[in-house]
mmCIF file of all heavy atoms in Angstrom:
data_model
loop_
_atom_site.group_PDB
_atom_site.id
_atom_site.type_symbol
_atom_site.label_atom_id
_atom_site.label_comp_id
_atom_site.label_asym_id
_atom_site.label_seq_id
_atom_site.Cartn_x
_atom_site.Cartn_y
_atom_site.Cartn_z
ATOM 1 N N GLY A 40 0.853 -8.241 -5.571
ATOM 2 C CA GLY A 40 0.935 -7.480 -4.333
ATOM 3 C C GLY A 40 0.088 -6.180 -4.408
ATOM 4 O O GLY A 40 0.072 -5.573 -5.492
ATOM 5 N N SER A 41 -0.572 -5.886 -3.295
ATOM 6 C CA SER A 41 -1.533 -4.731 -3.420
ATOM 7 C C SER A 41 -1.208 -3.659 -2.394
ATOM 8 O O SER A 41 -2.107 -2.871 -1.961
ATOM 9 C CB SER A 41 -2.962 -5.222 -3.232
ATOM 10 O OG SER A 41 -3.099 -5.768 -1.924
ATOM 11 N N GLY A 42 0.076 -3.544 -2.000
ATOM 12 C CA GLY A 42 0.420 -2.525 -1.005
ATOM 13 C C GLY A 42 0.793 -1.162 -1.647
ATOM 14 O O GLY A 42 0.289 -0.838 -2.697
ATOM 15 N N ALA A 43 1.683 -0.454 -1.041
ATOM 16 C CA ALA A 43 2.044 0.899 -1.488
ATOM 17 C C ALA A 43 2.419 0.928 -2.970
ATOM 18 O O ALA A 43 1.979 1.786 -3.685
ATOM 19 C CB ALA A 43 3.160 1.442 -0.620
ATOM 20 N N GLY A 44 3.232 -0.021 -3.351
ATOM 21 C CA GLY A 44 3.693 -0.067 -4.803
ATOM 22 C C GLY A 44 2.674 -0.673 -5.703
ATOM 23 O O GLY A 44 2.387 -0.085 -6.790
ATOM 24 N N LEU A 62 -3.055 -9.679 -7.883
ATOM 25 C CA LEU A 62 -3.045 -10.901 -7.098
ATOM 26 C C LEU A 62 -2.482 -10.560 -5.680
ATOM 27 O O LEU A 62 -1.399 -9.965 -5.598
ATOM 28 C CB LEU A 62 -2.198 -12.004 -7.689
ATOM 29 C CG LEU A 62 -2.522 -12.358 -9.151
ATOM 30 C CD1 LEU A 62 -1.638 -13.469 -9.598
ATOM 31 C CD2 LEU A 62 -4.016 -12.762 -9.251
ATOM 32 N N GLU A 63 -3.214 -10.870 -4.665
ATOM 33 C CA GLU A 63 -2.810 -10.508 -3.287
ATOM 34 C C GLU A 63 -2.909 -11.753 -2.437
ATOM 35 O O GLU A 63 -3.966 -12.390 -2.322
ATOM 36 C CB GLU A 63 -3.667 -9.431 -2.733
ATOM 37 C CG GLU A 63 -3.534 -9.118 -1.239
ATOM 38 C CD GLU A 63 -2.110 -8.931 -0.756
ATOM 39 O OE1 GLU A 63 -1.466 -7.986 -1.320
ATOM 40 O OE2 GLU A 63 -1.719 -9.601 0.165
ATOM 41 N N GLU A 64 -1.798 -12.094 -1.768
ATOM 42 C CA GLU A 64 -1.769 -13.259 -0.918
ATOM 43 C C GLU A 64 -2.691 -13.178 0.277
ATOM 44 O O GLU A 64 -3.293 -14.237 0.725
ATOM 45 C CB GLU A 64 -0.302 -13.412 -0.427
ATOM 46 C CG GLU A 64 -0.129 -14.603 0.456
ATOM 47 C CD GLU A 64 1.317 -14.773 0.927
ATOM 48 O OE1 GLU A 64 2.209 -14.093 0.386
ATOM 49 O OE2 GLU A 64 1.565 -15.607 1.766
ATOM 50 N N TYR A 86 -1.084 -9.318 9.442
ATOM 51 C CA TYR A 86 0.363 -9.345 9.306
ATOM 52 C C TYR A 86 0.848 -10.717 8.869
ATOM 53 O O TYR A 86 0.289 -11.726 9.216
ATOM 54 C CB TYR A 86 1.015 -9.074 10.689
ATOM 55 C CG TYR A 86 1.090 -7.636 11.098
ATOM 56 C CD1 TYR A 86 0.037 -6.987 11.684
ATOM 57 C CD2 TYR A 86 2.270 -6.887 10.921
ATOM 58 C CE1 TYR A 86 0.149 -5.686 12.056
ATOM 59 C CE2 TYR A 86 2.392 -5.583 11.337
ATOM 60 C CZ TYR A 86 1.327 -4.973 11.918
ATOM 61 O OH TYR A 86 1.431 -3.659 12.317
ATOM 62 N N ARG A 87 1.969 -10.723 8.165
ATOM 63 C CA ARG A 87 2.679 -11.974 7.904
ATOM 64 C C ARG A 87 3.266 -12.464 9.231
ATOM 65 O O ARG A 87 3.783 -11.641 10.019
ATOM 66 C CB ARG A 87 3.787 -11.713 6.905
ATOM 67 C CG ARG A 87 4.504 -12.995 6.429
ATOM 68 C CD ARG A 87 5.517 -12.641 5.364
ATOM 69 N NE ARG A 87 4.801 -12.024 4.189
ATOM 70 C CZ ARG A 87 4.200 -12.710 3.259
ATOM 71 N NH1 ARG A 87 4.053 -13.975 3.323
ATOM 72 N NH2 ARG A 87 3.596 -12.032 2.208
ATOM 73 N N GLY A 103 8.066 -6.631 11.042
ATOM 74 C CA GLY A 103 6.600 -6.621 10.835
ATOM 75 C C GLY A 103 6.247 -6.147 9.424
ATOM 76 O O GLY A 103 6.780 -5.137 8.973
ATOM 77 N N GLY A 105 2.629 -6.115 6.527
ATOM 78 C CA GLY A 105 1.233 -6.463 6.308
ATOM 79 C C GLY A 105 1.116 -7.558 5.267
ATOM 80 O O GLY A 105 2.018 -7.777 4.424
ATOM 81 N N ARG A 106 -0.003 -8.275 5.312
ATOM 82 C CA ARG A 106 -0.367 -9.327 4.368
ATOM 83 C C ARG A 106 -1.864 -9.329 4.178
ATOM 84 O O ARG A 106 -2.567 -10.112 4.788
ATOM 85 C CB ARG A 106 0.180 -10.633 4.872
ATOM 86 C CG ARG A 106 0.212 -11.731 3.809
ATOM 87 C CD ARG A 106 0.507 -13.121 4.414
ATOM 88 N NE ARG A 106 -0.588 -13.520 5.271
ATOM 89 C CZ ARG A 106 -1.513 -14.410 4.872
ATOM 90 N NH1 ARG A 106 -1.541 -14.896 3.665
ATOM 91 N NH2 ARG A 106 -2.525 -14.737 5.651
ATOM 92 N N CYS A 107 -2.296 -8.334 3.421
ATOM 93 C CA CYS A 107 -3.774 -8.211 3.189
ATOM 94 C C CYS A 107 -3.937 -7.245 2.059
ATOM 95 O O CYS A 107 -2.967 -6.684 1.533
ATOM 96 C CB CYS A 107 -4.417 -7.627 4.461
ATOM 97 S SG CYS A 107 -3.753 -6.021 4.976
ATOM 98 N N GLY A 110 -1.906 -4.162 1.593
ATOM 99 C CA GLY A 110 -0.560 -4.426 2.066
ATOM 100 C C GLY A 110 -0.242 -3.714 3.403
ATOM 101 O O GLY A 110 -1.155 -3.594 4.236
ATOM 102 N N THR A 111 0.933 -3.344 3.627
ATOM 103 C CA THR A 111 1.382 -2.786 4.894
ATOM 104 C C THR A 111 0.758 -1.465 5.158
ATOM 105 O O THR A 111 0.696 -0.990 6.290
ATOM 106 C CB THR A 111 2.917 -2.747 4.956
ATOM 107 O OG1 THR A 111 3.427 -4.042 4.552
ATOM 108 C CG2 THR A 111 3.437 -2.396 6.327
ATOM 109 N N THR A 112 0.234 -0.822 4.124
ATOM 110 C CA THR A 112 -0.396 0.532 4.374
ATOM 111 C C THR A 112 -1.633 0.384 5.220
ATOM 112 O O THR A 112 -2.094 1.359 5.816
ATOM 113 C CB THR A 112 -0.798 1.285 3.047
ATOM 114 O OG1 THR A 112 -1.908 0.540 2.468
ATOM 115 C CG2 THR A 112 0.355 1.341 2.121
ATOM 116 N N VAL A 114 -1.802 -1.390 7.949
ATOM 117 C CA VAL A 114 -1.354 -1.464 9.353
ATOM 118 C C VAL A 114 -0.280 -0.460 9.753
ATOM 119 O O VAL A 114 0.296 -0.550 10.851
ATOM 120 C CB VAL A 114 -0.837 -2.924 9.656
ATOM 121 C CG1 VAL A 114 -1.981 -3.926 9.608
ATOM 122 C CG2 VAL A 114 0.307 -3.325 8.782
ATOM 123 N N ASN A 115 0.006 0.433 8.819
ATOM 124 C CA ASN A 115 1.090 1.346 9.178
ATOM 125 C C ASN A 115 0.632 2.601 9.921
ATOM 126 O O ASN A 115 -0.569 2.729 10.231
ATOM 127 C CB ASN A 115 1.998 1.672 7.888
ATOM 128 C CG ASN A 115 1.338 2.653 6.972
ATOM 129 O OD1 ASN A 115 0.309 3.274 7.301
ATOM 130 N ND2 ASN A 115 1.938 2.809 5.810
ATOM 131 N N GLY A 116 1.541 3.504 10.208
ATOM 132 C CA GLY A 116 1.195 4.672 10.997
ATOM 133 C C GLY A 116 0.601 5.795 10.219
ATOM 134 O O GLY A 116 0.209 6.781 10.779
ATOM 135 N N GLY A 117 0.543 5.624 8.879
ATOM 136 C CA GLY A 117 -0.079 6.643 8.097
ATOM 137 C C GLY A 117 0.768 7.911 7.925
ATOM 138 O O GLY A 117 0.330 8.933 7.365
ATOM 139 N N LEU A 118 2.063 7.824 8.332
ATOM 140 C CA LEU A 118 2.987 8.939 8.131
ATOM 141 C C LEU A 118 3.371 8.987 6.678
ATOM 142 O O LEU A 118 3.739 7.990 6.097
ATOM 143 C CB LEU A 118 4.276 8.615 8.881
ATOM 144 C CG LEU A 118 4.545 9.255 10.177
ATOM 145 C CD1 LEU A 118 5.902 8.879 10.622
ATOM 146 C CD2 LEU A 118 4.395 10.776 10.103
ATOM 147 N N THR A 231 -4.649 -15.114 -2.819
ATOM 148 C CA THR A 231 -4.011 -15.704 -3.976
ATOM 149 C C THR A 231 -2.499 -15.459 -3.946
ATOM 150 O O THR A 231 -2.059 -14.327 -4.042
ATOM 151 C CB THR A 231 -4.612 -15.123 -5.276
ATOM 152 O OG1 THR A 231 -6.011 -15.361 -5.270
ATOM 153 C CG2 THR A 231 -4.030 -15.850 -6.499
ATOM 154 N N ARG A 232 -1.786 -16.586 -3.759
ATOM 155 C CA ARG A 232 -0.354 -16.439 -3.475
ATOM 156 C C ARG A 232 0.448 -16.845 -4.750
ATOM 157 O O ARG A 232 0.298 -17.998 -5.177
ATOM 158 C CB ARG A 232 0.071 -17.313 -2.306
ATOM 159 C CG ARG A 232 1.547 -17.221 -2.000
ATOM 160 C CD ARG A 232 1.820 -17.888 -0.651
ATOM 161 N NE ARG A 232 1.263 -19.283 -0.537
ATOM 162 C CZ ARG A 232 1.886 -20.387 -0.921
ATOM 163 N NH1 ARG A 232 3.147 -20.307 -1.310
ATOM 164 N NH2 ARG A 232 1.299 -21.532 -0.847
ATOM 165 N N VAL A 233 1.264 -15.955 -5.218
ATOM 166 C CA VAL A 233 2.089 -16.263 -6.343
ATOM 167 C C VAL A 233 3.336 -17.092 -5.887
ATOM 168 O O VAL A 233 3.909 -16.746 -4.821
ATOM 169 C CB VAL A 233 2.627 -14.996 -7.024
ATOM 170 C CG1 VAL A 233 3.666 -15.291 -8.129
ATOM 171 C CG2 VAL A 233 1.403 -14.199 -7.641
ATOM 172 N N ALA A 266 5.206 -6.382 -6.955
ATOM 173 C CA ALA A 266 5.197 -5.466 -5.778
ATOM 174 C C ALA A 266 4.834 -6.248 -4.533
ATOM 175 O O ALA A 266 3.926 -5.940 -3.815
ATOM 176 C CB ALA A 266 4.205 -4.336 -6.005
ATOM 177 N N ALA A 267 5.577 -7.329 -4.305
ATOM 178 C CA ALA A 267 5.330 -8.178 -3.160
ATOM 179 C C ALA A 267 6.075 -7.731 -1.866
ATOM 180 O O ALA A 267 6.145 -8.493 -0.885
ATOM 181 C CB ALA A 267 5.671 -9.660 -3.545
ATOM 182 N N GLY A 268 6.624 -6.491 -1.955
ATOM 183 C CA GLY A 268 7.309 -5.999 -0.750
ATOM 184 C C GLY A 268 8.846 -6.251 -0.824
ATOM 185 O O GLY A 268 9.306 -7.037 -1.627
ATOM 186 N N LEU A 275 10.425 -14.151 -4.445
ATOM 187 C CA LEU A 275 9.823 -14.687 -5.643
ATOM 188 C C LEU A 275 10.868 -14.722 -6.785
ATOM 189 O O LEU A 275 10.858 -15.704 -7.603
ATOM 190 C CB LEU A 275 8.667 -13.792 -6.081
ATOM 191 C CG LEU A 275 7.299 -14.175 -5.520
ATOM 192 C CD1 LEU A 275 6.261 -13.141 -5.953
ATOM 193 C CD2 LEU A 275 6.895 -15.580 -5.960
ATOM 194 N N VAL A 447 10.213 -2.297 10.894
ATOM 195 C CA VAL A 447 9.016 -2.291 10.063
ATOM 196 C C VAL A 447 9.287 -1.596 8.683
ATOM 197 O O VAL A 447 8.350 -1.441 7.926
ATOM 198 C CB VAL A 447 7.783 -1.571 10.739
ATOM 199 C CG1 VAL A 447 7.331 -2.364 11.968
ATOM 200 C CG2 VAL A 447 8.125 -0.152 11.167
ATOM 201 N N HIS A 448 10.529 -1.300 8.447
ATOM 202 C CA HIS A 448 10.920 -0.618 7.186
ATOM 203 C C HIS A 448 12.059 -1.423 6.539
ATOM 204 O O HIS A 448 13.178 -1.370 7.057
ATOM 205 C CB HIS A 448 11.448 0.770 7.404
ATOM 206 C CG HIS A 448 10.434 1.735 7.956
ATOM 207 N ND1 HIS A 448 10.784 2.940 8.519
ATOM 208 C CD2 HIS A 448 9.088 1.666 8.103
ATOM 209 C CE1 HIS A 448 9.702 3.585 8.942
ATOM 210 N NE2 HIS A 448 8.688 2.879 8.700
ATOM 211 N N ASP A 480 7.957 -1.645 -5.947
ATOM 212 C CA ASP A 480 7.678 -1.578 -4.546
ATOM 213 C C ASP A 480 8.905 -1.172 -3.780
ATOM 214 O O ASP A 480 9.869 -0.666 -4.415
ATOM 215 C CB ASP A 480 7.117 -2.901 -4.044
ATOM 216 C CG ASP A 480 8.135 -4.029 -4.304
ATOM 217 O OD1 ASP A 480 9.302 -3.749 -4.740
ATOM 218 O OD2 ASP A 480 7.776 -5.202 -4.008
ATOM 219 N N ALA A 481 8.895 -1.363 -2.493
ATOM 220 C CA ALA A 481 10.066 -0.935 -1.703
ATOM 221 C C ALA A 481 11.353 -1.574 -2.125
ATOM 222 O O ALA A 481 12.423 -1.006 -1.938
ATOM 223 C CB ALA A 481 9.818 -1.314 -0.193
ATOM 224 N N SER A 491 10.252 7.679 6.954
ATOM 225 C CA SER A 491 9.202 6.661 6.681
ATOM 226 C C SER A 491 9.120 6.578 5.136
ATOM 227 O O SER A 491 8.987 7.516 4.394
ATOM 228 C CB SER A 491 7.905 7.105 7.225
ATOM 229 O OG SER A 491 8.028 7.282 8.594
ATOM 230 N N PRO A 492 9.110 5.279 4.613
ATOM 231 C CA PRO A 492 9.338 5.124 3.163
ATOM 232 C C PRO A 492 8.125 5.189 2.232
ATOM 233 O O PRO A 492 8.294 5.275 1.037
ATOM 234 C CB PRO A 492 10.002 3.703 3.150
ATOM 235 C CG PRO A 492 9.413 2.993 4.289
ATOM 236 C CD PRO A 492 9.190 4.068 5.380
ATOM 237 N N GLN A 493 6.909 5.111 2.777
ATOM 238 C CA GLN A 493 5.754 4.941 1.902
ATOM 239 C C GLN A 493 5.697 5.987 0.752
ATOM 240 O O GLN A 493 5.392 5.641 -0.389
ATOM 241 C CB GLN A 493 4.445 4.960 2.671
ATOM 242 C CG GLN A 493 3.267 4.679 1.765
ATOM 243 C CD GLN A 493 1.896 4.755 2.498
ATOM 244 O OE1 GLN A 493 1.847 4.561 3.699
ATOM 245 N NE2 GLN A 493 0.837 5.071 1.768
ATOM 246 N N ILE A 496 8.259 5.182 -1.895
ATOM 247 C CA ILE A 496 7.907 3.952 -2.636
ATOM 248 C C ILE A 496 6.780 4.296 -3.666
ATOM 249 O O ILE A 496 6.878 3.953 -4.858
ATOM 250 C CB ILE A 496 7.310 2.846 -1.658
ATOM 251 C CG1 ILE A 496 8.429 2.439 -0.695
ATOM 252 C CG2 ILE A 496 6.790 1.681 -2.455
ATOM 253 C CD1 ILE A 496 7.911 1.640 0.499
HETATM 254 C C1 LIG B 19 3.603 -1.102 12.023
HETATM 255 C C2 LIG B 19 4.128 -0.411 10.805
HETATM 256 C C3 LIG B 19 4.063 0.962 10.787
HETATM 257 C C4 LIG B 19 4.584 1.646 9.624
HETATM 258 N N1 LIG B 19 4.382 2.983 9.592
HETATM 259 C C5 LIG B 19 4.750 3.646 8.445
HETATM 260 C C6 LIG B 19 4.404 5.025 8.344
HETATM 261 O O1 LIG B 19 3.809 5.646 9.221
HETATM 262 N N2 LIG B 19 4.826 5.638 7.159
HETATM 263 C C7 LIG B 19 5.493 5.005 6.177
HETATM 264 O O2 LIG B 19 5.921 5.590 5.248
HETATM 265 N N3 LIG B 19 5.775 3.693 6.274
HETATM 266 C C8 LIG B 19 5.357 2.997 7.350
HETATM 267 N N4 LIG B 19 5.539 1.609 7.414
HETATM 268 C C9 LIG B 19 6.196 0.930 6.209
HETATM 269 C C10 LIG B 19 5.375 0.983 4.977
HETATM 270 O O3 LIG B 19 3.979 0.749 5.196
HETATM 271 C C11 LIG B 19 5.915 -0.054 3.941
HETATM 272 O O4 LIG B 19 7.274 0.313 3.774
HETATM 273 C C12 LIG B 19 5.208 0.032 2.650
HETATM 274 O O5 LIG B 19 3.852 -0.284 2.783
HETATM 275 C C13 LIG B 19 5.835 -1.021 1.686
HETATM 276 O O6 LIG B 19 5.201 -0.949 0.440
HETATM 277 P P1 LIG B 19 5.353 -2.227 -0.572
HETATM 278 O O7 LIG B 19 4.449 -2.023 -1.652
HETATM 279 O O8 LIG B 19 6.850 -2.412 -0.840
HETATM 280 O O9 LIG B 19 4.907 -3.529 0.269
HETATM 281 P P2 LIG B 19 3.587 -3.809 1.070
HETATM 282 O O10 LIG B 19 2.840 -2.577 1.359
HETATM 283 O O11 LIG B 19 4.040 -4.601 2.248
HETATM 284 O O12 LIG B 19 2.764 -4.734 0.068
HETATM 285 C C14 LIG B 19 3.203 -5.929 -0.421
HETATM 286 C C15 LIG B 19 2.007 -6.859 -0.578
HETATM 287 O O13 LIG B 19 2.423 -8.003 -1.342
HETATM 288 C C16 LIG B 19 1.726 -9.138 -0.871
HETATM 289 N N5 LIG B 19 2.544 -10.319 -1.271
HETATM 290 C C17 LIG B 19 3.769 -10.671 -0.840
HETATM 291 N N6 LIG B 19 4.127 -11.837 -1.387
HETATM 292 C C18 LIG B 19 3.157 -12.174 -2.255
HETATM 293 C C19 LIG B 19 2.992 -13.315 -3.109
HETATM 294 N N7 LIG B 19 3.877 -14.251 -3.284
HETATM 295 N N8 LIG B 19 1.806 -13.365 -3.870
HETATM 296 C C20 LIG B 19 0.864 -12.420 -3.733
HETATM 297 N N9 LIG B 19 0.962 -11.334 -2.901
HETATM 298 C C21 LIG B 19 2.083 -11.212 -2.125
HETATM 299 C C22 LIG B 19 1.735 -8.933 0.616
HETATM 300 O O14 LIG B 19 0.703 -9.756 1.245
HETATM 301 C C23 LIG B 19 1.448 -7.409 0.733
HETATM 302 O O15 LIG B 19 0.060 -7.203 0.802
HETATM 303 C C24 LIG B 19 5.124 0.902 8.552
HETATM 304 C C25 LIG B 19 5.128 -0.476 8.587
HETATM 305 C C26 LIG B 19 4.613 -1.124 9.702
HETATM 306 C C27 LIG B 19 4.666 -2.686 9.723
#
Side-chain angles (χ1 to χ4, degrees):
S41 63
L62 305 183
E63 167 55 53
E64 179 178 350
Y86 278 83
R87 186 175 300 281
R106 195 188 68 97
C107 57
T111 308
T112 69
V114 293
N115 76 10
L118 258 185
T231 303
R232 181 168 53 90
V233 172
L275 270 177
V447 293
H448 297 165
D480 59 6
S491 301
Q493 183 184 334
I496 297 164

